[in-house]
Amino acid sequence: MDEIQKAIAFYHDEYEATKLYSYLAKIERDAEAKKNYEDLSKIEAEHTAFWHQFLIDRNVKVKPKKANRIKLRLYNGIKKVLGSRLFITLLEAKEATSTKSYYNYLKASSLTEKEKNMLAKIIQDELEHESHFGNQKGAFDIGNIRDFILGMNDGLVEILGTVTGLSAVYPSHPFTVGINGLIVGVAGALSMAIGAFTSVRSQRQVNEGIKSKMELLFSVSKQRAQDELYSKLTQSGIPEDISREVVGKLSENQQAMIGLLTEEVTENEFKSAAYTGLSYILGVVFPVLPFFIISTSSLMSLILSIILAAIALSIVGFVVSIASESLSIKNKAMEMVATGLGAAAISYIFGTIIQTVFGIHI
C-alpha cells in the first residue's frame, strides 16, 4: 500500500472513530463519561481534518463513508459488557490508525515539517486516549483482567492436558474421560479461587502490618522511620542523593512516607476469587464438553476438544493483547494456542506410555 492509500485509510478510520465517539456521547447517561466521549470525538475530528487536508494538498479527493448504525449499536453493546476503560483499549487495539502505524508512516513518508509536527501530536493523542477513563469503573474492571487470564488459561491448558492424556488411556470411553476431566476441573477451579483469595488478602494483611509498624515507628522515632524509607528508596535503584532529598522533604509527612513504603492493594479478594474460579470453569467447558456430546470415540471427542480449546486459547490471547496495549493480537493468539496444544501433545504421549506400561485396555 502506497503513501496515499495509507493516508486515505487513516482518514476513513479517523472519520469512523469521530462518528462512533459522537454517537456514544449522545446515548451516554453518565455525565463524566459523556464529556469524555465528546472530548474524544473532538480530538478524532481534528485528526480527520488533518488527513483530509493532507490529501487535498496532494490533489486527492475523498468522501467520508456513511456511519454504519448497526456497527455503532454493536459497539455500544460491547461497551456495556466491558466497561468504558477496557472498551477504549479495545478500540485502540482494533483501529487501523494505531500509534505504531502512524509512527511508521511518520518515519517513512515524505512530509512537510508542519505535517510531521501534527502527526507527532496525533500519535500523542492516541497514546492518551485511555487516560480519559482512568478513574472510571466498568462492568469488567481492567484490574481483574489478570484474574480472568490466569483462571481461563489454566482451566484450558490443564484440563485439555487431562482429557488428552485420559483419551489415550480410555480410547473407547469418552464419557469416562469427560467425567474425570470435569471432576479435575471443578477441583482446580476451587483451588485457583482459594489461591487468588489468599494471595490478595495476604498482600493486604502484609501491607497493613507494614503500615502499623511505620505508624508506631514514626511516633517514637521519626529518624528511624526516615532511615527505613531511605533504605527502601536506595534498594529500588534511586540514587542516594535523590533518596536523601526525598526523605528530607517528606520527613514530617507520615502518610506520604507510609504510602511509599507500602504497595496499595485495590483488589477485592472475593471479586478476585470469583473471577479466577469462574473463568477457570469457563476454560474447563471447552475441552470437556465434546466428551459428553460424542459417546462412541474418545479420539473423535478429542479432535473436537482440541478445536474448541484452540479457539478459546485464541480468545485468551486476544484479551492479553488488549490488556497489554502493545502485543500483536495475532502473535499472542498463536503463542497461546501453540503452548496449549503442545502441553496436550505431551499429555497424550504420557497417557499412551501409561497405557502400555500398565497394560490398560478399556
Side-chain angles (χ1 to χ4, degrees):
M1 187 183 296
D2 61 23
E3 290 185 10
I4 297 299
Q5 291 301 314
K6 286 181 181 178
I8 292 174
F10 291 152
Y11 168 74
H12 286 306
D13 288 332
E14 293 289 6
Y15 179 81
E16 183 178 334
T18 302
K19 292 300 180 183
L20 172 60
Y21 291 129
S22 178
Y23 168 76
L24 293 174
K26 289 178 182 178
I27 63 174
E28 180 61 58
R29 295 181 180 179
D30 181 80
E32 181 183 356
K34 187 180 188 72
K35 184 179 183 305
N36 285 330
Y37 284 126
E38 288 173 346
D39 291 343
L40 288 173
S41 180
K42 291 176 183 177
I43 292 171
E44 298 292 4
E46 292 176 2
H47 299 175
T48 304
F50 166 77
W51 289 113
H52 188 254
Q53 186 60 50
F54 179 91
L55 292 167
I56 289 176
D57 292 343
R58 287 157 179 78
N59 299 316
V60 178
K61 294 182 179 181
V62 290
K63 290 184 178 180
K65 298 177 182 178
K66 291 184 178 180
N68 188 322
R69 304 297 294 182
I70 296 176
K71 190 174 182 179
L72 292 177
R73 291 191 180 95
L74 176 61
Y75 273 124
N76 185 45
I78 295 173
K79 178 183 73 70
K80 289 180 179 179
V81 174
L82 299 182
S84 293
R85 188 176 177 188
L86 184 56
F87 176 67
I88 293 302
T89 307
L90 173 62
L91 289 180
E92 289 304 302
K94 295 294 288 180
E95 287 181 0
T97 54
S98 65
T99 53
K100 186 175 181 180
S101 297
Y102 278 152
Y103 182 67
N104 291 336
Y105 196 85
L106 178 64
K107 291 193 300 180
S109 303
S110 302
L111 307 175
T112 65
E113 196 62 33
K114 182 179 179 181
E115 288 171 341
K116 288 181 180 179
N117 292 335
M118 184 58 193
L119 188 52
K121 181 182 180 301
I122 290 175
I123 292 172
Q124 182 178 336
D125 290 341
E126 297 291 343
L127 289 169
E128 293 176 351
H129 273 193
E130 192 182 350
S131 65
H132 285 265
F133 296 88
N135 297 319
Q136 185 174 338
K137 299 297 180 183
F140 191 17
D141 191 345
I142 200 168
N144 291 111
I145 292 292
R146 182 204 63 194
D147 299 322
F148 171 83
I149 294 169
L150 179 65
M152 188 169 180
N153 183 67
D154 281 3
L156 279 164
V157 176
E158 290 176 16
I159 304 306
L160 178 60
T162 299
V163 297
T164 303
L166 289 172
S167 294
V169 179
Y170 304 108
S172 301
H173 294 74
F175 187 75
T176 301
V177 175
I179 288 294
N180 281 278
L182 187 59
I183 292 172
V184 173
V186 171
L190 291 172
S191 175
M192 290 291 291
I194 293 170
F197 178 89
T198 303
S199 175
V200 175
R201 171 160 286 196
S202 297
Q203 184 61 56
R204 180 179 286 109
Q205 290 171 337
V206 168
N207 286 345
E208 288 173 353
I210 295 174
K211 182 178 180 181
S212 297
K213 173 188 172 183
M214 288 305 300
E215 287 175 346
L216 178 62
L217 193 59
F218 198 91
S219 63
V220 298
S221 175
K222 290 182 181 180
Q223 184 58 51
R224 182 63 187 275
Q226 291 170 19
D227 291 342
E228 287 273 350
L229 178 58
Y230 174 79
S231 177
K232 180 170 183 178
L233 292 175
T234 53
Q235 287 175 9
S236 66
I238 298 176
E240 293 184 4
D241 55 336
I242 297 177
S243 297
R244 203 171 288 110
E245 183 180 353
V246 170
V247 171
K249 289 184 178 180
L250 297 180
S251 59
E252 298 299 325
N253 192 329
Q254 177 180 339
Q255 292 305 315
M257 290 179 66
I258 292 174
L260 287 174
L261 286 167
T262 58
E263 180 182 348
E264 184 182 4
V265 179
T266 58
E267 284 186 87
N268 179 288
E269 52 264 46
F270 293 98
K271 189 176 180 181
S272 179
Y275 268 99
T276 303
L278 291 176
S279 61
Y280 188 100
I281 287 293
L282 180 61
V284 167
V285 169
F286 291 93
V288 165
L289 185 61
F291 292 91
F292 292 99
I293 298 174
I294 302 173
S295 59
T296 56
S297 169
S298 292
L299 180 60
M300 294 301 296
S301 299
L302 180 60
I303 291 172
L304 180 56
S305 176
I306 289 172
I307 293 172
L308 292 179
I311 293 172
L313 286 166
S314 298
I315 294 172
V316 174
F318 172 78
V319 174
V320 172
S321 299
I322 295 301
S324 71
E325 303 177 60
S326 59
L327 297 175
S328 164
I329 293 177
K330 179 181 177 181
N331 291 342
K332 191 60 186 178
M334 290 177 64
E335 176 190 321
M336 299 294 288
V337 171
T339 54
L341 298 189
I346 294 172
S347 297
Y348 189 82
I349 294 171
F350 180 73
T352 303
I353 294 172
I354 292 296
Q355 184 191 42
T356 303
V357 171
F358 292 96
I360 301 173
H361 300 287
I362 299 177

